[in-house]
Amino acid sequence: MNRPLLEVSSPNPENAPQLAETCAALGTDYRVVQDRVGLVTPRVICMIINEACYTLQEGTASIQDIDKSMKLGTRYPRGPFEWANLIGVSRVYEVLKALWEDTHEERYKVCPLLKSMYLRGEQFQLNE
């Protein structure tokens, strides 16, 4: 997503020199993270999107209000529904499903609204 810092996993520490060389050739900084489903950034963003879906499903706030609140309150560059559409609802669903299957932690259980959007192949309507 056009980030200046790559998030990579390297299960084999012997590959560290090649990784450093490749990233240097690309002119890209990187951080090695644990080799787990979802890595770090996708896991966090997908969880935020999922929680936003629960908030929308419960009727607590609209898509526009949730996106605006997250941008103003956290200074994120995008709201959760903007992220979902940019990443793709199907990718968000698949990351969360894989996390749930890997961990069985409640925080990764896919919101029914997100699942229905995925099954219908829809995106979130950002403008009312």
Side-chain angles (χ1 to χ4, degrees):
M1 296 258 184
N2 299 323
R3 294 179 48 196
L5 180 70
L6 287 180
E7 182 178 302
V8 298
S9 66
S10 181
N12 187 348
E14 296 170 5
N15 293 335
Q18 292 90 348
L19 176 61
E21 183 180 318
T22 300
C23 287
L26 293 171
T28 304
D29 195 10
Y30 69 97
R31 294 293 179 273
V32 177
V33 299
Q34 189 178 36
D35 188 26
R36 293 292 312 266
V37 173
L39 297 174
V40 177
T41 303
R43 178 183 295 230
V44 171
I45 291 174
C46 289
M47 283 178 47
I48 290 169
I49 292 166
N50 201 43
E51 286 301 318
C53 288
Y54 277 114
T55 302
L56 179 64
Q57 178 179 283
E58 294 165 357
T60 304
S62 69
I63 289 173
Q64 294 74 22
D65 290 340
I66 295 167
D67 273 356
K68 187 174 184 177
S69 297
M70 286 298 291
K71 288 191 287 189
L72 293 174
T74 63
R75 300 187 51 79
Y76 285 171
R78 293 178 179 83
F81 297 106
E82 290 173 313
W83 276 118
N85 286 351
L86 182 64
I87 295 166
V89 170
S90 63
R91 286 189 186 106
V92 173
Y93 172 82
E94 289 162 5
V95 166
L96 290 165
K97 185 175 180 237
L99 284 163
W100 168 255
E101 289 171 359
D102 182 52
T103 66
H104 291 293
E105 293 181 22
E106 285 295 312
R107 62 185 170 162
Y108 300 124
K109 195 175 243 182
V110 178
C111 174
L113 173 63
L114 181 61
K115 184 176 182 179
S116 66
M117 297 290 290
Y118 162 77
L119 292 173
R120 291 191 310 256
E122 294 179 4
Q123 289 196 316
F124 292 98
Q125 298 298 315
L126 301 180
N127 301 316
E128 283 188 355

